[in-house]
Amino acid sequence: MATRDSMIQVTDLKKHYNMGAIKALDGITVDICQGDVIAVIGPSGSGKSTFLRSLNLLEEPTSGSIIFNGIDITKKKYKDAQGKTQKLNIDHLREKMGMVFQHFNLFPHMTILDNMVLAPMKVKGLSREEAEKKALELLDRVGLKDRADAYPIQLSGGQKQRVAIVRALAMEPEVMLFDEPTSALDPEMVGEVLDVMKELAHEGMTMVVVTHEMGFAREVGNRVLFMADGKLLEQGTPQEVFEHPQNPRLKDFLAKVL
Amino acid sequence: MDQFLQIENFGRIAPYAELFWQGTLVTVLLAVFTVMIGFCLALILALMRMSNLRPFRSLELDASGHVRQGGVLPVLSRFNPLSFIATAYVEILRSTPVIVQVFIIYYGVFSLIELPGFRMFGFIRFDRFFPGVVALGMNSGAYLCEIIRAGIQSIDGGQTEAARSLGLSQKQNLRYIILPQAIKNILPAIANEFVVIIKESAITYTIGVQDIMSAVNAVRGATFVIIEPLLVATAIYFCLCFPTSKIIAYFERRMSRGDKR
């Protein structure tokens, strides 16, 4: 693992609310490497989602650092290669980090195709033809090419989430963040979404997945992080975490969910 | 004169029908221009209230570039003069009577500004009509500002998060994601404001705008009948407002049906 390039280095990340009365994140240190598929598990309220959302600054951390592509993105300014102070452009960073939400967050006033081409056209400056070609390819991959002209409301939950995944992929991100992508789905639709994510993992995409699907964490993840009370209590391979848990909180958690 | 109303009195006010017709036209024009001015003003005010202009922004960062926690400096760094001005405007206009605002505009502001004395359509006195529109428009702008702001804030926060996570800037998010959805929510409220203004514009007869109420007054002065012209005014206001609000309700239903498609 040490031979692979480190992509995101998180050091002592803290997120406090109410002047430190609530510690949503209490000193998280973790290294995310190219090609990692990291499953983040833990009881609800443990800070999993806050951690994930901090990675692309949807939550602004209180302290600590997140080094992404060599830049500490928790600071609003950085020094470039020439040593000049630059203002951090958060939009450029988010472009490289795709995010998938629990509630899909498709744009309801646009067709599926328009949902997919908006960011590539407006942010990357692709022409409509290029963007649509790309979008249709991606939709084809998840079996939804024939729904390109439908509106989000006409799709099932599983279909919406598959669209949300390829919408993020259309920006060709370097890393994909998943915030409980199957938690809002009916049980019979969980499989179709997990299949898309598995495929993505096998293609070598770097992924951070907050999930309650222990089967997925065990099968697809190459590392599992266990969080509770804003702290990273245990991390390791799925085998280490699931077969030989060390921390009593983890043992307790696994006893409840497995 | 014991009776509440006498049918033959309608015959006495019939010769003044022309006044009521002109008054109706003035009232409708007043409402149309007021909502137009009010909407433009409200859009500016809403953007000011939601703007992110912070002249003391640099105070929130500590030496290492992190956002400071607690203390006076972060509070000061969040001060937004544009938002402050817009908020003050909205709160003052919403907390004072319309008639006071109309008088201040007419007797105060427009006593300093000479308006041309021409007549629109040959009978609407511009030097009365214009101050009336300005005063009502300023008042309506304050209310519409809150409608627009509420419409924008009613859009689920997940939409913004999704847009920003795709790399869209704050402006692009507003333009492509938030406003198209918000306007659909806002339009019925703006149409309702139009109905409110039709009724509220009656106040401008106090500064000599020749609307429906001023027709009532003129007829009363000439014939000493009061109840019957008031009933005519009631009928006209009702015929303007009731169908309009029904039409709005119809479109509102149709639009919300689109949501559940």
Side-chain angles (χ1 to χ4, degrees):
Chain A
M1 209 147 65
T3 54
R4 276 182 300 159
D5 293 337
S6 167
M7 183 182 251
I8 306 175
Q9 288 162 282
V10 181
T11 313
D12 199 26
L13 191 68
K14 289 183 181 165
K15 171 74 181 176
H16 294 178
Y17 294 103
N18 293 344
M19 306 294 302
I22 299 164
K23 293 176 173 148
L25 292 179
D26 197 7
I28 304 285
T29 300
V30 70
D31 208 355
I32 299 166
C33 301
Q34 190 90 46
D36 264 352
V37 178
I38 296 181
V40 186
I41 61 170
S44 49
S46 58
K48 308 183 297 280
S49 287
T50 310
F51 166 66
L52 193 76
R53 292 156 56 83
S54 298
L55 291 180
N56 70 352
L57 295 196
L58 286 181
E59 302 279 355
E60 219 159 83
T62 309
S63 68
S65 67
I66 303 169
I67 314 272
F68 177 57
N69 285 348
I71 296 168
D72 184 354
I73 61 173
T74 62
K75 296 180 182 174
K76 306 218 159 163
K77 290 177 202 156
Y78 66 93
K79 288 218 168 26
D80 66 7
Q82 282 83 45
K84 271 202 290 188
T85 304
Q86 299 274 352
K87 239 178 110 179
L88 182 79
N89 187 334
I90 190 60
D91 300 326
H92 287 317
L93 285 163
R94 288 189 175 130
E95 217 185 302
K96 296 175 194 153
M97 294 187 178
M99 182 141 185
V100 176
F101 300 87
Q102 181 177 359
H103 296 289
F104 330 127
N105 296 350
L106 295 182
F107 306 132
H109 60 300
M110 296 179 178
T111 63
I112 300 307
L113 193 62
D114 285 336
N115 262 277
M116 304 251 330
V117 300
L118 179 73
M121 281 168 62
K122 301 300 174 193
V123 179
K124 288 200 147 177
L126 295 190
S127 72
R128 179 163 270 279
E129 293 74 48
E130 289 172 292
E132 281 189 0
K133 186 165 163 277
K134 184 102 200 295
L136 289 170
E137 270 169 31
L138 283 164
L139 282 173
D140 199 23
R141 262 180 58 183
V142 294
L144 290 170
K145 196 177 177 182
D146 55 329
R147 305 310 306 271
D149 293 322
Y151 282 86
I153 199 109
Q154 297 167 301
L155 303 189
S156 71
Q159 289 174 327
K160 279 186 213 171
Q161 196 60 300
R162 282 185 277 160
V163 170
I165 293 171
V166 287
R167 179 177 70 176
L169 287 178
M171 291 301 287
E172 298 175 328
E174 294 170 19
V175 51
M176 286 283 283
L177 312 174
F178 293 83
D179 190 3
E180 302 196 21
T182 58
S183 298
L185 296 177
D186 290 340
E188 78 267 25
M189 292 170 183
V190 170
E192 63 190 68
V193 171
L194 290 182
D195 285 343
V196 172
M197 290 167 62
K198 273 180 210 168
E199 206 188 303
L200 205 55
H202 291 313
E203 285 167 16
M205 173 63 79
T206 311
M207 292 163 64
V208 183
V209 186
V210 170
T211 186
H212 292 294
E213 295 291 328
M214 294 304 145
F216 178 84
R218 190 191 290 232
E219 192 187 332
V220 186
N222 70 333
R223 275 163 71 202
V224 177
L225 311 184
F226 173 71
M227 286 180 67
D229 302 330
K231 293 191 179 73
L232 181 57
L233 292 184
E234 191 158 340
Q235 60 170 314
T237 64
Q239 197 169 13
E240 285 164 2
V241 170
F242 287 107
E243 312 299 335
H244 310 289
Q246 305 295 320
N247 190 294
R249 290 290 300 272
L250 175 56
K251 284 179 189 166
D252 186 46
F253 176 73
L254 290 177
K256 280 181 190 149
V257 297
L258 289 183
Chain B
M1 285 294 275
D2 300 326
Q3 274 169 301
F4 177 65
L5 87 167
Q6 292 168 304
I7 300 299
E8 63 267 28
N9 277 351
F10 284 109
R12 288 175 62 195
I13 65 171
Y16 302 95
E18 179 74 11
L19 273 183
F20 281 101
W21 163 239
Q22 290 178 349
T24 308
L25 186 67
V26 171
T27 294
V28 171
L29 283 178
L30 210 50
V32 169
F33 284 121
T34 296
V35 170
M36 273 167 24
I37 291 178
F39 180 74
C40 297
L41 184 65
L43 208 58
I44 295 167
L45 287 170
L47 288 176
M48 280 169 74
R49 286 198 75 165
M50 292 183 303
S51 69
N52 204 15
L53 181 96
R54 285 151 55 193
F56 309 118
R57 185 195 294 267
S58 56
L59 293 179
E60 75 175 354
L61 298 181
D62 58 21
S64 70
H66 275 297
V67 176
R68 268 182 233 268
Q69 297 295 307
V72 180
L73 290 178
V75 175
L76 198 60
S77 77
R78 281 195 291 274
F79 175 72
N80 178 341
L82 279 184
S83 170
F84 179 81
I85 292 168
T87 307
Y89 177 89
V90 168
E91 294 305 340
I92 290 170
L93 273 273
R94 292 206 308 172
S95 314
T96 49
V98 190
I99 191 158
V100 174
Q101 296 162 15
V102 170
F103 277 18
I104 288 179
I105 294 295
Y106 181 68
Y107 293 112
V109 178
F110 283 99
S111 68
L112 305 174
I113 305 168
E114 190 76 25
L115 284 173
F118 73 94
R119 286 164 190 260
M120 301 152 70
F121 303 109
F123 65 92
I124 304 174
R125 289 185 59 174
F126 184 74
D127 58 348
R128 304 292 172 97
F129 183 81
F130 188 70
V133 166
V134 169
L136 287 178
M138 285 176 66
N139 177 271
S140 173
Y143 285 93
L144 284 172
C145 165
E146 291 306 279
I147 290 172
I148 291 175
R149 212 166 63 98
I152 288 173
Q153 284 171 350
S154 72
I155 305 301
D156 177 34
Q159 294 287 309
T160 297
E161 291 189 350
R164 299 304 303 274
S165 76
L166 285 167
L168 293 172
S169 68
Q170 198 178 346
K171 256 188 213 138
Q172 288 172 323
N173 171 42
L174 196 64
R175 173 161 167 211
Y176 299 111
I177 309 301
I178 302 302
L179 280 183
Q181 296 184 62
I183 281 172
K184 208 170 104 173
N185 298 347
I186 295 169
L187 273 181
I190 289 177
N192 275 323
E193 179 72 7
F194 179 71
V195 173
V196 171
I197 294 295
I198 288 180
K199 292 180 286 180
E200 235 169 42
S201 67
I203 206 108
T204 57
Y205 105 89
T206 55
I207 59 166
V209 177
Q210 302 126 296
D211 73 335
I212 299 172
M213 271 314 284
S214 122
V216 171
N217 230 24
V219 172
R220 187 186 64 169
T223 64
F224 302 105
V225 232
I226 176 65
I227 289 299
E228 289 76 7
L230 277 174
L231 287 177
V232 172
T234 306
I236 297 174
Y237 278 119
F238 183 81
C239 290
L240 288 176
C241 295
F242 183 72
T244 315
S245 55
K246 284 293 153 197
I247 292 167
I248 296 165
Y250 170 75
F251 280 108
E252 231 178 323
R253 271 200 308 278
R254 272 194 50 174
M255 276 166 137
S256 63
R257 215 167 38 218
D259 285 339
K260 294 182 204 91
R261 190 165 29 184

